[in-house]
Amino acid sequence: MNQGRIVRVSGPLVVAEGMENARMFDVVRVSNYKLIGEIIELRRDRASIQVYENTGGLGVGEPVQSTGEPLSVELGPGLIGSFYDGIQRPLDAIKAIAGDTITRGIEVPGLNREKKWHFVPKVKVGDKVTGGDVIGEVQETTLVMHRIMVPPGMEGEIAEVNEGDYTVEEIVAKIKTADGVKDMDMIQRWPVREPRPVKRNLAPQTPMFTGQRVIDALFPVGKGGTACVPGPFGSGKTVIQHQLAKWADAEIIVYVGCGERGNEMTDVLREFPELLDPKSGEPLMKRTVLIANTSNMPVAAREASVYTGITIAEYFRDMGYSVAVMADSTSRWAEAMREISGRLEEMPGEEGYPAYLGTRIAEFYERAGRAICLGGDDREGALTVVGAVSPSGGDLSDPVVQATLRVVKVFWSLEDKLAYARHFPAISWLNSYSLYTDDLEDYYREDLGDQWIEMRDQAMEILQEEADLEEIVRLVGVDALSPDNRLLMETAKAIKEDFLHQNAFHEVDTYTSSGKQFKILELIMLLHDRSKESLGAGKPIEDLVALDVKEEIARAKYIPEDSLDRFEEIKKSIVDQTEV
Ligand code: ADP
């Protein structure tokens, strides 16, 4: 054990001397309060430590002790349904010990030590196993089967394995390895800054379907992909995160709340447990892990919470699940980096952010991916990361937004202009993009057919042309447009209002299957094409603008999923009413 002494305290940063035997990123206990910190700079015997707890009242000369271990998380049964702080302390356990305010230096293990889990072996004595092999299963919640895996790097033969009820620390199996027999309990410890290994990375090939039309149809994210959603206040960021948590085609959700305002976090803590998983009717928390760095934790904990979240997500990916991580907001994490870097007196980059801002952000998103997991059965897992960014004033030239856009492949641009106009989700169809569109094309052709690709591209073109025409309309009025252009404006309006606009709080509208998305867009494009023909045959634009069937198209999104045959009647009306 290496013991040093504090020589300086600067907010969340503590400098200690006499640390010559410590290593970079070692976890240290600071002062007699034993506050948890991490070494982030080491020059000879002088260590700079970011402290994850309030450093108020610490003084020069107090002891600092290195644990010799990097910042790690505990992985095993009991993660699901937990609320953790940035360094994986369960908030309810802390509350039980310390009341409402986190008392400093409290040590609570990430996984409950008393609870018994029923372990069912999946291997037998004599089986050869390597890292990633599933040796048994635990039904962790009604929605999640937790696979107990051989830790990466271990290899051997099963010497003993028994079904039964165990705590996470009890021995469920013994493995004969080259260095002797190893006892296996149900906890893996993993350093958070180190990505967990996979056998092979794969490119995303299927979309992470969300049931949100603007996302699925125009800007899909691949399973195992990355997306970013910059959200000015009131633009619907929270609603989108909730919709994704509820509806995204992912088996496990890890939500990292990295907020500065305490009440933002309290909202998450209050609202999430009330959300129901629409597919099973069970509470969403039965497949969710929440990590929230509360307002009374200093900025350094924001960084820890991001790493803790992604590591837990990787662990479930390793089991062969599709996992979605939502980090809200990565801007708060970047601000923490800026503050710490400033106190370290590093050379600042753009707007005072450290020069390594881009690298750190990239390393985080690069932990997303679709992969063949470790282990003999070649199961596939996926980790999708959606990061919210909150640039001040919604300014997209902000360094955090720019650094994020360099790595993520999907950009959902929330615009306050749309939010003011109550157009939700306020995702701009002009500024957003998805770089997965090509990778996912085969999937869509298979799932929805070539017509889907054509309609989607046509809809996108119409929206872009409309944006150009709008300028003209502003100058000379809509009546000055040619009939063709007026039709285009009408269709664009229908795409926006009848397709892209989606009410998260409407029982039916909150989620739209891919089949129904196809059918709604099909109505709009059918009317467009038929109207164009009628115009050519001499029907006046005024008549086409006023067709009764438009009302039916507008209401099509409220048709329940089990009554999709009603779309056929609307199609018939379109054909009838556009007859010349
Ligand atoms: P932010 O988190 O960006 O501050 P919110 O997600 O809280 O914003 O959204 C603000 C308000 O906008 C919500 O309370 C709700 O009334 C409305 N809203 C946002 N998205 C939707 C949506 N998809 N459907 C209906 N209303 C929405």
Side-chain angles (χ1 to χ4, degrees):
M1 278 295 167
N2 187 336
Q3 181 131 335
R5 296 266 155 212
I6 297 179
V7 293
R8 189 158 74 91
V9 179
S10 162
L13 189 79
V14 164
V15 181
E17 281 181 353
M19 304 291 293
E20 55 275 356
N21 295 327
R23 287 169 310 182
M24 260 309 260
F25 297 123
D26 273 358
V27 169
V28 294
R29 307 307 298 251
V30 178
S31 86
N32 296 325
Y33 294 117
K34 296 197 180 308
L35 306 188
I36 298 165
E38 191 186 16
I39 298 180
I40 53 169
E41 193 183 76
L42 198 58
R43 294 206 180 128
R44 273 160 302 170
D45 74 325
R46 201 179 162 94
S48 298
I49 297 156
Q50 60 176 350
V51 181
Y52 294 126
E53 301 178 84
N54 191 342
T55 54
L58 295 198
V60 169
E62 291 192 52
V64 173
Q65 187 140 39
S66 170
T67 61
E69 304 265 337
L71 187 65
S72 301
V73 283
E74 290 187 348
L75 303 168
L79 288 170
I80 298 290
S82 290
F83 295 80
Y84 289 122
D85 73 2
I87 44 179
Q88 209 204 4
R89 296 183 301 187
L91 293 179
D92 53 352
I94 293 179
K95 201 168 170 179
I97 301 174
D100 275 336
T101 50
I102 297 179
T103 305
R104 296 190 289 179
I106 282 190
E107 220 172 335
V108 191
L111 297 177
N112 184 316
R113 293 296 192 268
E114 271 100 58
K115 189 169 164 102
K116 296 252 184 194
W117 301 95
H118 189 72
F119 172 85
V120 180
K122 290 283 154 188
V123 289
K124 47 188 194 319
V125 172
D127 283 356
K128 299 260 189 294
V129 290
T130 65
D133 279 335
V134 176
I135 60 164
E137 288 181 338
V138 161
Q139 188 76 52
E140 183 171 359
T141 67
T142 40
L143 300 180
V144 178
M145 182 63 88
H146 194 113
R147 305 197 169 116
I148 308 297
M149 299 171 286
V150 177
M154 193 190 256
E155 195 173 356
E157 188 184 305
I158 299 289
E160 201 183 311
V161 61
N162 294 304
E163 178 164 354
D165 295 325
Y166 301 97
T167 67
V168 287
E169 285 181 311
E170 286 171 337
I171 308 305
V172 296
K174 292 178 193 259
I175 299 181
K176 217 185 302 164
T177 71
D179 322 319
V181 176
K182 300 263 191 264
D183 289 339
M184 291 271 303
D185 60 18
M186 294 194 278
I187 306 183
Q188 285 191 25
R189 280 187 190 76
W190 194 265
V192 295
R193 290 177 187 274
E194 195 179 313
R196 284 177 62 87
V198 295
K199 201 182 264 177
R200 202 164 64 244
N201 284 302
L202 306 168
Q205 229 168 29
T206 54
M208 181 173 79
F209 190 74
T210 66
Q212 311 304 302
R213 297 185 291 266
V214 57
I215 294 178
D216 298 330
L218 300 186
F219 312 111
V221 55
K223 255 188 203 166
T226 49
C228 118
V229 46
F233 182 74
S235 58
K237 191 168 49 111
T238 312
V239 175
I240 287 192
Q241 303 266 18
H242 283 189
Q243 288 297 89
L244 291 180
K246 279 198 249 182
W247 296 108
D249 183 8
E251 288 149 309
I252 309 283
I253 304 286
V254 178
Y255 188 97
V256 181
C258 194
E260 62 189 333
R261 281 170 298 160
N263 56 341
E264 241 171 56
M265 249 23 269
T266 327
D267 282 351
V268 171
L269 296 182
R270 210 187 48 234
E271 284 168 26
F272 250 80
E274 287 170 12
L275 299 180
L276 293 184
D277 172 34
K279 283 154 263 178
S280 62
E282 297 269 347
L284 202 58
M285 284 306 292
K286 293 202 169 178
R287 55 182 181 86
T288 302
V289 185
L290 273 181
I291 293 144
N293 71 306
T294 45
S295 56
N296 50 359
M297 293 193 84
V299 295
R302 297 181 195 163
E303 171 145 294
S305 64
V306 168
Y307 286 111
T308 295
I310 195 97
T311 308
I312 291 174
E314 284 177 336
Y315 174 66
F316 283 101
R317 172 212 56 203
D318 292 346
M319 293 180 203
Y321 289 123
S322 168
V323 186
V325 171
M326 282 175 277
D328 179 15
S329 143
T330 55
S331 294
R332 301 284 97 78
W333 166 36
E335 282 158 13
M337 276 192 247
R338 175 165 66 184
E339 176 168 350
I340 300 280
S341 169
R343 289 181 191 271
L344 282 172
E345 291 167 12
E346 291 173 337
M347 181 84 86
E350 232 181 313
E351 288 187 28
Y353 287 104
Y356 48 78
L357 173 75
T359 320
R360 289 283 170 82
I361 288 179
E363 280 167 358
F364 168 68
Y365 284 102
E366 278 160 9
R367 290 173 77 167
R370 183 167 79 98
I372 299 294
C373 307
L374 289 188
D377 62 358
D378 280 353
R379 58 186 181 274
E380 194 182 304
L383 202 180
T384 311
V385 178
V386 178
V389 197
S390 36
S392 59
D395 176 12
L396 298 182
S397 68
D398 164 86
V400 185
V401 174
Q402 287 302 314
T404 306
L405 290 182
R406 276 196 289 276
V407 281
V408 301
K409 298 215 157 138
V410 178
F411 172 47
W412 296 318
S413 177
L414 289 179
E415 293 200 347
D416 32 16
K417 210 170 63 196
L418 292 174
Y420 288 139
R422 310 288 304 159
H423 178 101
F424 291 116
I427 297 179
S428 159
W429 47 89
L430 295 174
N431 296 334
S432 304
Y433 60 80
S434 164
L435 301 182
Y436 292 111
T437 321
D438 290 342
D439 292 337
L440 302 178
E441 189 157 321
D442 287 345
Y443 174 88
Y444 281 117
R445 285 193 195 281
E446 182 96 349
D447 185 44
L448 296 169
D450 297 347
Q451 194 193 338
W452 171 251
I453 309 282
E454 285 157 27
M455 291 193 309
R456 183 196 69 193
D457 292 351
Q458 196 188 358
M460 222 30 219
E461 262 167 49
I462 290 176
L463 290 171
Q464 266 147 14
E465 284 176 44
E466 186 226 18
D468 300 336
L469 287 176
E470 251 181 351
E471 191 55 29
I472 300 175
V473 172
R474 235 194 318 274
L475 292 173
V476 295
V478 73
D479 295 330
L481 291 182
S482 69
D484 269 349
N485 281 342
R486 273 194 71 188
L487 174 63
L488 188 136
M489 298 287 288
E490 282 294 313
T491 305
K493 185 162 174 266
I495 296 170
K496 289 188 288 187
E497 292 175 8
D498 307 339
F499 185 75
L500 299 181
H501 181 283
Q502 188 167 2
N503 183 354
F505 304 108
H506 185 281
E507 192 190 347
V508 174
D509 201 25
T510 184
Y511 173 90
T512 310
S513 67
S514 65
K516 185 172 152 190
Q517 293 190 16
F518 180 100
K519 286 178 185 295
I520 301 175
L521 199 54
E522 189 185 24
L523 295 182
I524 296 169
M525 299 323 294
L526 178 66
L527 178 65
H528 180 76
D529 293 341
R530 293 277 310 179
S531 299
K532 216 169 171 170
E533 282 170 30
S534 309
L535 268 185
K539 199 168 173 113
I541 182 72
E542 287 73 20
D543 291 3
L544 290 165
V545 168
L547 292 181
D548 290 341
V549 74
K550 294 180 101 174
E551 188 53 35
E552 285 176 75
I553 297 176
R555 281 198 311 262
K557 56 183 165 188
Y558 305 117
I559 296 177
E561 295 283 343
D562 59 7
S563 315
L564 297 188
D565 42 346
R566 278 167 46 197
F567 278 85
E568 287 310 308
E569 296 158 31
I570 306 177
K571 268 161 78 177
K572 252 201 240 110
S573 308
I574 292 174
V575 173
D576 291 347
Q577 294 183 25
T578 48
E579 212 71 63
V580 185

